[in-house]
Amino acid sequence: MNSVTIRNLLVRGMLAGLAAGVLALLVAYLLGEPQVDAAIAFEEAHSHEHEMEIVSRGVQSTAGLATGVLVYGVALGGIAALAFCFALGRIGRFGARATAALLSGAALLAVYLVPFLKYPANPPSVGDPDTIGKRTALYFLMMLLGVLLAVAATILGRRLAPKLGNWYASIAAVAAFVVAIGLAYAFLPAVNEVPHGFSATLLWQFRLSAIAIQLVLWTAFGLLFGHLAERVVPTRSAATAVETAPAAS
């Protein structure tokens, strides 16, 4: 894959990330923001200190939210496009669409769901400000472990495939991934800083909305980028036809 192709895929990845970010923004505004407002109301009702807002809540929930989600989508789209360039042809005999879909699903699992299940997202008023550094470090450590273990499981599956076949090698790789993640969950410290009286329903709805945002983001990116990448990377059948044409003539 030459530099021109990689650059084209990078641009398309960022565009797909932007488009997916727009869809995720709609979900965040419609599902997430009402839960944030409710959590802020709880915090204000139980706090005796009133701090002056540097940025108004109206700006945070509109322009601030849009900027954060769209920049996040573009950045992840570019990174995922580079990962696609490396993964294409190395994780199996998959075309551009299938590789993009598999990559998006793996990223959703390793980058978001794995750390989320150990350290789930919390709305405002949940969490001790004094432990924010520790909680952030633990979350990113879990994210790093998720990515590294997913890569290791992929390599393990490819190594076992000649001996066990693709089906059983995949099962063994997934089982090894689950066991390794389970051990990480067991050894890393838990964090439970939900204040007394905070609505369990609100907490559950906020976390569901957080999952919905990521699910929409990565699903939309996988579908859009797969479509765009297929226009740049030839299908296997087309590539084979080009390679065999001189020999046939």
Side-chain angles (χ1 to χ4, degrees):
M1 191 177 293
N2 57 43
S3 59
V4 175
T5 302
I6 294 176
R7 184 173 65 249
N8 289 336
L9 288 171
L10 177 61
V11 172
R12 282 163 172 78
M14 295 173 72
L15 290 175
L18 177 62
V22 171
L23 297 177
L25 174 61
L26 293 175
V27 177
Y29 185 77
L30 296 175
L31 297 183
E33 285 304 306
Q35 317 307 327
V36 173
D37 288 336
I40 291 176
F42 174 88
E43 185 177 31
E44 291 177 347
H46 292 78
S47 176
H48 300 289
E49 298 179 0
H50 297 280
E51 299 181 358
M52 181 178 298
E53 289 184 338
I54 300 177
V55 180
S56 68
R57 176 63 189 143
V59 174
Q60 292 175 13
S61 61
T62 53
L65 177 66
T67 301
V69 174
L70 295 180
V71 170
Y72 179 77
V74 171
L76 286 185
I79 295 172
L82 295 177
F84 171 88
C85 295
F86 177 80
L88 186 63
R90 290 185 171 90
I91 59 174
R93 297 182 179 182
F94 300 108
R97 284 178 183 266
T99 301
L102 288 172
L103 183 65
S104 298
L108 175 65
L109 174 65
V111 176
Y112 187 75
L113 289 180
V114 165
F116 180 91
L117 293 177
K118 177 65 177 178
Y119 303 112
N122 288 323
S125 76
V126 175
D128 184 356
D130 295 334
T131 64
I132 187 171
K134 176 184 176 181
R135 287 185 281 118
T136 302
L138 288 172
Y139 183 87
F140 280 104
L141 174 60
M142 196 66 243
M143 182 187 297
L144 178 61
L145 287 174
V147 173
L148 293 178
L149 290 174
V151 173
T154 302
I155 295 173
L156 176 64
R158 289 186 59 82
R159 295 283 179 87
L160 294 176
K163 298 179 180 179
L164 303 179
N166 290 333
W167 174 254
Y168 290 107
S170 299
I171 293 176
V174 170
F177 176 78
V178 171
V179 170
I181 291 297
L183 291 174
Y185 284 179
F187 284 102
L188 287 176
V191 175
N192 184 12
E193 297 178 348
V194 180
H196 178 72
F198 192 86
S199 171
T201 301
L202 175 59
L203 183 61
W204 175 247
Q205 290 175 343
F206 177 85
R207 290 174 176 175
L208 283 181
S209 66
I211 294 176
I213 293 167
Q214 294 294 327
L215 182 62
V216 169
L217 177 69
W218 283 107
T219 301
F221 173 79
L223 295 175
L224 292 171
F225 181 66
H227 174 74
L228 295 175
E230 200 172 42
R231 296 173 177 268
V232 178
V233 180
T235 60
R236 180 170 296 276
S237 59
T240 304
V242 172
E243 293 174 358
T244 57
S249 61

